[in-house]
Amino acid sequence: MKIDFPDTPEYQQLRITMKKIENLTIQGATNVAIFGVRDFAKHAATVPLKGQALFQHLETVVKQLSIVRVTEPALRNGLRYVMTCIRQDGKEAAIDHGENYIELINIAKKKIFNIGAERIQDGSRVFTHCHSSITVGIFIEAAKQGKEFQVINTETRPLYQGRKTARILLKNNIQVTHIVDSAMRWAMKRYNPHMIFLGADAITVEGVALNKIGSRLCALAAEEQHIPLYICTSLLKYDQATSVGRLSEIEMRQPFEIWDENIPIGLDIQNPAFETIDRGNISAYITEAGLIPPQTIHLIFQQLYGNKIKDHYDF
Ligand code: RUB
């Protein structure tokens, strides 16, 4: 990632947020979108520029924020939403517009929590991978409704986001069984979960989901055992550029996250952050519009958000 904002006070908050997004202090697509959009809107409202100079500057900031984590369309959709509003109403309203987008996310989250929780019953066993605030929110909602169930979760190497999931679930008195990523298939045989719940970072026009590396393995193991797999996500993660043939990009992270000292000289280390889950492996998406089949993503995104988030294919 390349940050070339000047090291001056008006960029300070943006620089801090970008660093936190980059090093995963702010983690998961939904949080990346919320924090990124909020700080962008504040920056837009306060930067001492006007007219053409303002828009040129903000377009640069949008591009910079968009490449901190390239597989995050919910952030890009939010930045574009705020930019469109600023062009209509001026930069004074930028903060309100940023909050309006965040409100769309929050409304979507609540709906997904309820729709997802309906699928969980007393005695359910649910498998999940990594840490998705949406998936965890569903589990917490189901627990609030008094349901007793078990979650099987992976540690998620190399950065162990699965531990965050395990801690939050335990705190909410939800039974959790924690496994290494490579025990996914074993765990599916051993526990025979009723369903898999995964989050998403991006959704493509074909209905393919992109989520944490390991998600496709999870989907293949689920297919072998005939276990339904649900992607729990807001449609705000739809990558609109895929509707004109662009491929959703997969973030490659630094090798030191895998091996940080005494690395044998000459060793090539690859650290992909995400991978695709084919639509054929997805039973349904659990979204703010209800339970929907993968091939309807574009249509339903247009129905829900088409008038708010204009097509943008320029990233
Ligand atoms: C997190 C991850 C999550 C999605 C969805 O990856 O893959 O499943 O981002 O999260 P990372 P949410 O740890 O690299 O950010 O449901 O919170 O939007």
Side-chain angles (χ1 to χ4, degrees):
M1 199 243 332
K2 201 165 135 278
I3 301 178
D4 47 21
F5 293 154
D7 197 3
T8 53
E10 67 260 36
Y11 289 94
Q12 202 190 358
Q13 187 53 46
L14 267 184
R15 293 180 79 90
I16 293 171
T17 303
M18 284 172 82
K19 212 47 265 132
K20 284 185 177 169
I21 291 175
E22 188 191 13
N23 67 23
L24 268 64
T25 308
I26 296 172
Q27 175 271 338
T30 303
N31 288 326
V32 166
I34 290 174
F35 285 89
V37 167
R38 183 167 282 146
D39 284 339
F40 172 71
K42 279 188 197 153
H43 177 77
T46 51
V47 68
L49 292 170
K50 282 187 190 156
Q52 203 46 32
L54 172 72
F55 286 109
Q56 265 175 9
H57 165 76
L58 291 181
E59 286 295 347
T60 309
V61 177
V62 165
K63 289 220 160 73
Q64 289 272 306
L65 271 168
S66 303
I67 56 168
V68 182
R69 300 203 70 192
V70 288
T71 320
E72 302 298 5
L75 171 61
R76 295 202 295 273
N77 285 333
L79 298 173
R80 189 52 61 198
Y81 174 90
V82 175
M83 279 300 278
T84 307
C85 295
I86 295 175
R87 284 188 191 279
Q88 278 164 12
D89 304 335
K91 69 172 190 170
E92 293 68 27
I95 293 177
D96 287 345
H97 293 311
E99 291 308 314
N100 291 344
Y101 183 77
I102 292 167
E103 184 62 8
L104 289 180
I105 295 180
N106 288 332
I107 292 170
K109 274 167 75 168
K110 270 200 195 128
K111 288 186 183 158
I112 300 168
F113 294 166
N114 283 307
I115 296 164
E118 275 173 32
R119 309 210 69 73
I120 299 176
Q121 306 302 330
D122 275 337
S124 290
R125 294 180 299 279
V126 191
F127 189 99
T128 192
H129 176 52
C130 193
H131 174 264
S132 145
S133 62
I134 303 291
T135 301
V136 165
I138 291 174
F139 294 141
I140 294 174
E141 177 57 35
K144 272 193 202 148
Q145 294 173 4
K147 294 171 183 170
E148 292 195 8
F149 56 98
Q150 177 190 8
V151 175
I152 300 109
N153 99 308
T154 53
E155 58 178 1
T156 318
R157 280 176 180 256
L159 296 179
Y160 301 103
Q161 293 93 324
R163 293 182 183 176
K164 185 172 175 186
T165 301
R167 283 198 190 94
I168 299 174
L169 297 184
L170 286 177
K171 213 168 145 198
N172 284 277
N173 299 318
I174 297 167
Q175 190 193 336
V176 194
T177 300
H178 194 65
I179 56 161
V180 294
D181 302 344
S182 45
M184 271 183 201
R185 183 181 177 278
W186 171 87
M188 284 193 208
K189 281 228 170 238
R190 168 78 175 75
Y191 294 102
N192 193 20
H194 297 94
M195 61 203 114
I196 319 281
F197 275 9
L198 298 179
D201 288 87
I203 319 167
T204 75
V205 69
E206 298 91 359
V208 168
L210 284 86
N211 193 50
K212 180 54 54 189
I213 193 77
S215 296
R216 194 186 187 100
L217 276 182
C218 182
L220 293 174
E223 184 181 28
E224 187 189 39
Q225 300 288 311
H226 307 290
I227 303 166
L229 184 148
Y230 298 95
I231 302 290
C232 313
T233 182
S234 164
L235 293 167
L236 291 163
K237 294 177 191 167
Y238 175 46
D239 185 346
Q240 296 179 76
T242 61
S243 70
V244 289
R246 202 74 75 74
L247 287 180
S248 221
E249 207 178 324
I250 293 195
E251 176 189 355
M252 295 300 290
R253 294 188 61 84
Q254 295 295 327
F256 72 76
E257 291 179 347
I258 293 180
W259 198 336
D260 61 352
E261 52 188 28
N262 300 324
I263 305 170
I265 292 166
L267 181 65
D268 175 40
I269 298 177
Q270 296 293 328
N271 188 11
F274 304 109
E275 67 183 338
T276 56
I277 307 157
D278 280 348
R279 74 178 193 193
N281 287 116
I282 299 171
S283 306
Y285 278 83
I286 299 178
T287 74
E288 59 272 49
L291 214 62
I292 63 170
Q295 46 278 51
T296 59
I297 294 286
H298 177 82
L299 191 71
I300 299 178
F301 175 87
Q302 289 302 333
Q303 283 168 359
L304 284 191
Y305 300 118
N307 64 340
K308 295 192 178 76
I309 302 163
K310 303 286 173 222
D311 291 354
H312 63 89
Y313 308 125
D314 53 343
F315 289 106

